[in-house]
DNA sequence: TTGGAATGTCAACAAGGCTGACATAAAATG
DNA sequence: CATTTTATGTCAGCCTTGTTGACATTCCAA
C-alpha cells in the first residue's frame, strides 16, 4: 500500500533522501530566495541601490565599527567590488569611515543616522516576510529550517556564522 | 531573569519571533544560499557558463518540451536575457529547440544528450550537498525546512511551485 | 484580412562580480 | 633603522546577467 515505508532500503530515516525529495528542496530553495530578497529589492530600487548595498549596510549595522577586511571576509567579494559599493554609501552619507584608533591603517565603519534609517527599512521589510513565514510554519518548523540551512553552509562559513550567530548588538 | 518568557506578549508560540531570531534566520538564509550554489558554480565555471545557464538546464530537464514563455515565467527574467543564455546553449548543442507542433510560433525545448550529461553533473553536485544537509539535520528538520521555504515564497510563485512540486518526470 | 500573440534579434546600458597593477600609510620585524 | 608586510584605496578593463526599447517574423484567431 501507499505507506509501505520502503524500510528495505535503509530504514525510515533514509526514506526522504530520494532524488525527488532533494529536487523539491532545491527548487524550494530557489523560489524562496527570490521571495526572501523581493521586498528589500523594491526599496533599494527607489534609492538607486542594489543588493550589494543592502549586504554592506546589514553587516555594518550588525557589527558596528567593523573593518573593511572583516567585511570582505563575511561578504566573500573582492575589495574592489566592495569598495565601489562602500564609496557610494560613504559619499551618500549613509556610512562613516573612521581611521582606526589602535591600528591607523584600518578603517572602522559605522552607519550614520541616515544609514540606520535605510537599514531599518530594509531589514524590517525582510523580517516581516520572515516573520510571516515563521508564523505560518510554526516553531518546530523554524528549528528545522535553521538546522538544514546551517548544515548547507560551507564549512568555513558555518564556523564564521556560528561564532557570530549569538552575539549581542 | 534571562528566561522570563515574555508570555505577556502573546504566549510561547510567538516567543521565537524576536528580531534577534529573525536576524539569525535571515543570515542563515544568506550564507546557506552561498553554499547551495557553490558546487554547481565550480562546474559551470569549467564550462564557461554561469548560474543562468544552470537554471535554464534545470527547468528544461524538469519539464521536457517546455516553451520559452513557460520558462520565462518560471525563471522570472526577460526574454532578451533568457534568449542570450538559451542561444549559447543551443549553439553549444546542449539544448534543442523544436518548432511547436500545434502552435508553430512556440518553441519546445529539450536537452540533448550532452545537455543531460551536464545537467546531471550540476544537479548531482547540488543534490549531494542537500543530501548531506538533510542527513545531518534529520527528517523532522527537513519537513520544517520545506514548510518555512514554501511560506517565504511570493504568493504567485508559491502557487506555481505547489502545482509542479509533485509532478512526475 | 487584420489584429494580436509568441518569438527572435539588435543595440545600448547598468549593476556588480572579477583580475591585475599600482600607491600610500602604518605596523611589524629583522 | 631599514625592510617587509598589511590594510586600504584606486584605476583600468573584462565578464555575466539583468534591464529597456525598437523592430521583424510568424501565424493563430476573430
Amino acid at each position: 500500500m501507499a505507506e509501505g515505508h520502503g524500510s528495505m532500503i535503509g530504514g525510515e530515516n533514509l526514506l526522504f533522501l530520494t532524488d525527488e525529495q532533494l529536487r523539491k528542496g532545491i527548487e524550494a530553495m530557489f523560489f524562496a530566495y527570490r521571495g526572501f530578497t523581493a521586498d528589500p529589492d523594491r526599496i533599494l530600487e527607489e534609492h538607486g541601490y542594489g543588493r550589494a548595498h543592502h549586504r554592506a549596510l546589514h553587516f555594518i549595522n550588525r557589527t558596528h565599527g567593523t573593518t573593511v577586511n572583516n567585511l570582505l571576509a563575511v561578504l566573500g567579494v573582492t575589495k574592489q567590488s566592495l569598495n565601489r559599493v562602500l564609496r557610494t554609501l560613504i559619499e551618500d552619507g549613509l556610512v562613516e569611515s573612521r581611521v582606526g584608533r589602535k591600528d591607523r591603517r584600518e578603517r572602522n565603519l559605522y552607519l550614520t543616522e541616515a544609514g540606520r534609517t535605510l537599514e531599518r527599512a530594509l531589514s524590517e521589510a525582510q523580517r516581516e516576510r520572515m516573520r510571516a513565514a515563521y508564523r505560518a510554519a510554526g516553531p518546530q518548523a523554524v528549528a528545522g529550517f535553521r538546522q538544514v540551512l546551517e548544515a548547507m553552509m560551507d564549512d568555513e562559513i558555518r564556523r564564521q556564522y556560528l561564532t557570530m550567530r549569538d552575539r549581542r548588538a
Side-chain angles (χ1 to χ4, degrees), chain A:
Chain A
M1 49 174 56
E3 294 204 303
H5 271 110
S7 46
M8 53 279 286
I9 58 156
E12 58 188 336
N13 24 7
L14 289 185
L15 179 63
F16 64 105
L17 292 177
T18 63
D19 281 4
E20 222 356 59
Q21 285 294 323
L22 295 166
R23 178 188 59 76
K24 288 178 197 170
I26 287 169
E27 294 185 358
M29 195 72 184
F30 171 64
F31 290 122
Y33 200 79
R34 282 234 296 260
F36 173 70
T37 56
D39 302 324
D41 281 356
R42 271 186 286 272
I43 297 172
L44 288 160
E45 205 183 359
E46 294 167 16
H47 294 253
Y49 293 137
R51 268 181 219 177
H53 300 85
H54 184 188
R55 291 194 283 264
L57 290 172
H58 175 98
F59 285 105
I60 292 171
N61 176 66
R62 180 203 198 307
T63 319
H64 309 289
T66 188
T67 65
V68 173
N69 252 2
N70 254 321
L71 213 46
L72 287 180
V74 172
L75 296 176
V77 296
T78 59
K79 63 171 181 175
Q80 293 90 334
S81 194
L82 175 59
N83 189 257
R84 183 168 36 197
V85 165
L86 225 38
R87 193 171 17 182
T88 72
L89 290 175
I90 292 170
E91 281 171 6
D92 295 352
L94 303 185
V95 168
E96 192 190 349
S97 165
R98 297 184 209 150
V99 171
R101 285 216 277 177
K102 232 192 73 184
D103 185 335
R104 297 179 50 204
R105 289 169 303 180
E106 295 181 344
R107 299 289 181 276
N108 297 116
L109 303 170
Y110 302 88
L111 294 191
T112 65
E113 192 47 48
R116 269 190 294 276
T117 300
L118 178 55
E119 198 286 328
R120 253 195 305 272
L122 293 169
S123 66
E124 185 44 39
Q126 199 157 43
R127 272 197 302 273
E128 186 45 46
R129 161 100 51 166
M130 190 71 72
R131 198 178 288 131
Y134 275 19
R135 218 174 259 150
Q140 257 214 331
V142 170
F145 168 71
R146 287 263 303 277
Q147 283 171 45
V148 173
L149 288 187
E150 288 175 16
M152 206 173 344
M153 297 174 193
D154 270 346
D155 287 352
E156 201 186 339
I157 296 290
R158 180 171 45 248
R159 259 179 273 124
Q160 217 179 351
Y161 168 80
L162 289 176
T163 62
M164 68 181 184
R165 187 186 57 183
D166 301 314
R167 65 85 229 229
R168 58 202 74 255

